[in-house]
Amino acid sequence: MSSGPVTLKRMLEPLRWRKSPDQPPQSQRCHHDPFDRDTVATIIESDIVPRLLMAHSIEPLTVRDRPQKRIDDLAVSRFAELPMTLEAAGLLDEVDRFIEAGVSVESVYIDLLAPAARSLGEMWTRDECDFVEVTMGLWRLQEVMREISGRYPSIRQSEGPAPRMACLFSPVPGDDHSFGALMIDDVFSRAGWESEVVPQPVRRELLDAVSRRPFDLIGLTVSRECAAGTLRSLITALRKASANPHVAIMVGGRRINEDPALVADVGADGTGTDARAALDVARRLVKAAPARASSQQ
């Protein structure tokens, strides 16, 4: 997991364009153009939002055992406009009203605050706000999450009597942004999986990791444009190197959500549009993995 406090400066660090001599050739890696509006919106969607959810992820005892109230779409839309106009204290008052009404803190994070952060990225893309306004809006949302996380400490699910399933998550090698993989690793850990993450991998490191331990599931996040052939080659190599002949492989992230047909095209077994969906798909894939492997032989 991450080290040190999550500050706005650290969240915006991906905007600093840099090249590394260790990166693969341009034709074989995921890439993006520096400092354009799509880049900022993508970083908010695939990096900053998951980073915030991962860093402040919570599972409060105070609301777990009572019926959970849903946040309706109108309320989500209304709240999404507030980070541009309200200070953090005002946003926190709004969030407190939802929690007092019976909305779980997890739902507040995933269904309310994350869409508000995404909305900032969309406003930037449409040229409806400048970079300073986006930065201030994100800072206010972060302050709200920091306050709530202090009230409701994180709780890991205890290990049950049944063996826990093992999974490994990583961004595609060459994709510099690891926040999505870090977030999904945390979500699966909370759900009882033995989860590991390789936040900044090279291809050989991933292959070595799956050869040493028989993971039930491998998850790859793809937040940038990436050649289908490159991803297909990586998945084929992971299956060949895996210590588990029945390993299930999922792909996810912004790029996959934009083009779900890539899942089958690159030879993956499934995807999930968000963390909740990914958990459900992963359980089904692991359960069905032996039969699926037999049918592919």
Side-chain angles (χ1 to χ4, degrees):
M1 309 305 288
S2 65
S3 60
V6 180
T7 64
L8 187 62
K9 180 178 179 181
R10 289 182 62 191
M11 286 193 297
L12 296 176
E13 185 67 19
L15 288 173
R16 298 178 57 189
W17 177 249
R18 61 188 183 277
K19 291 184 179 180
S20 167
D22 297 329
Q23 288 181 327
Q26 183 77 8
S27 61
Q28 298 180 15
R29 65 182 177 92
C30 305
H31 57 278
H32 64 282
D33 295 326
F35 301 119
D36 63 14
R37 292 186 177 277
D38 286 342
T39 295
V40 173
T42 299
I43 287 172
I44 291 173
E45 170 75 20
S46 61
D47 298 336
I48 294 176
V49 170
R51 176 63 165 175
L52 289 172
L53 292 174
M54 182 275 296
H56 301 287
S57 187
I58 54 180
E59 196 174 5
L61 286 172
T62 54
V63 296
R64 177 187 289 176
D65 297 326
R66 69 188 188 198
Q68 302 299 307
K69 182 178 179 180
R70 290 180 53 85
I71 305 176
D72 62 66
D73 293 340
L74 182 61
V76 172
S77 298
R78 175 183 172 275
F79 184 87
E81 300 174 358
L82 298 181
M84 297 290 292
T85 57
L86 284 184
E87 295 297 332
L91 291 174
L92 184 59
D93 288 340
E94 294 288 328
V95 169
D96 281 338
R97 292 188 186 98
F98 285 103
I99 295 175
E100 290 167 2
V103 175
S104 71
V105 181
E106 178 189 28
S107 181
V108 165
Y109 273 59
I110 296 174
D111 301 325
L112 191 70
L113 300 186
R118 295 186 187 105
S119 178
L120 289 172
E122 293 166 0
M123 291 174 67
W124 164 265
T125 301
R126 297 192 299 265
D127 203 18
E128 296 175 2
C129 62
D130 60 32
F131 183 74
V132 173
E133 290 172 317
V134 170
T135 301
M136 288 304 301
L138 289 171
W139 178 82
R140 289 163 181 157
L141 291 174
Q142 183 191 7
E143 288 300 297
V144 170
M145 284 185 274
R146 179 180 290 115
E147 176 64 24
I148 296 176
S149 67
R151 299 179 187 177
Y152 304 94
S154 175
I155 300 169
R156 295 273 179 174
Q157 292 192 6
S158 60
E159 183 174 352
R164 296 203 296 172
M165 293 176 286
C167 54
L168 176 72
F169 294 102
S170 172
V172 172
D175 189 334
D176 295 330
H177 304 290
S178 59
F179 294 156
L182 288 166
M183 184 273 289
I184 200 73
D185 163 66
D186 189 68
V187 169
F188 272 66
S189 292
R190 289 175 180 275
W193 292 62
E194 292 184 1
S195 185
E196 296 183 19
V197 62
V198 183
Q200 295 179 321
V202 295
R203 184 183 174 105
R204 173 48 55 190
E205 182 182 9
L206 273 182
L207 296 179
D208 287 346
V210 302
S211 68
R212 291 193 302 267
R213 182 177 181 183
F215 293 101
D216 299 290
L217 175 76
I218 300 170
L220 301 172
T221 60
V222 190
S223 62
R224 304 292 182 216
E225 193 70 30
C226 191
T230 301
L231 189 52
R232 187 185 309 113
S233 173
L234 175 62
I235 289 174
T236 299
L238 287 169
R239 292 193 192 279
K240 184 176 180 180
S242 175
N244 177 7
H246 309 312
V247 66
I249 298 181
M250 294 181 64
V251 291
R254 183 185 178 98
R255 182 70 184 92
I256 303 301
N257 290 343
E258 291 174 347
D259 186 6
L262 280 174
V263 177
D265 190 22
V266 301
D269 299 312
T271 188
T273 55
D274 58 29
R276 291 183 182 125
L279 273 170
D280 290 338
V281 173
R283 293 186 184 105
R284 293 197 299 269
L285 287 177
V286 170
K287 184 177 181 179
R292 185 176 60 254
S294 298
S295 67
Q296 293 173 349
Q297 292 177 350

